[in-house]
Amino acid sequence: MYIHQQRLGSEEVQELRREGGRFLKELREKRGLSQRQLAAQVGAEYYTFISQLETGRGRVPPDRYKIWAEALGVDAKDFVKSLMRFYDPLTFEILFGD
């Protein structure tokens, strides 16, 4: 299986992940959900998984994008496009760059 390695520096990747985490936290808070409530809605076994994502120490699993979008009350395409900025900026730039 091919594992995509971003060509950005490690610190750059970490900062993008942190920004992505802030994005997720803002959506969750706008929806009025606790981390525990969101975890239950997206099928995460532990609410601490939400905390990990919100601090940039992980990614939303791609096979769960639609469930997350629904739980956060956002359009799935817009959600994935936004996540792509943080998780795969090279592809995002090719598809949506200036």
Side-chain angles (χ1 to χ4, degrees), residues 4-69:
H4 176 70
Q5 296 293 326
Q6 297 185 33
R7 292 188 180 169
L8 301 172
S10 182
E11 184 55 39
E12 220 175 343
V13 170
Q14 287 304 309
E15 182 54 33
L16 284 170
R17 291 279 176 89
R18 286 189 290 269
E19 287 178 37
R22 288 189 291 271
F23 167 74
L24 292 172
K25 183 176 181 177
E26 288 172 10
L27 290 177
R28 178 181 59 77
E29 290 177 341
K30 183 188 284 186
R31 191 81 166 161
L33 297 171
S34 68
Q35 290 179 345
R36 190 176 304 273
Q37 290 169 322
L38 179 58
Q41 287 189 23
V42 300
E45 285 189 50
Y46 303 101
Y47 77 91
T48 55
F49 178 66
I50 306 303
S51 176
Q52 290 174 343
L53 297 182
E54 290 182 356
T55 57
R57 290 177 298 180
R59 297 171 54 146
V60 174
D63 63 330
R64 311 295 291 170
Y65 284 160
K66 286 184 180 181
I67 293 167
W68 275 74

Side-chain angles (χ1 to χ4, degrees), residues 69-82:
E70 184 178 309
L72 294 169
V74 295
D75 176 74
K77 287 183 182 181
D78 292 337
F79 181 67
V80 172
K81 184 177 178 181
S82 294

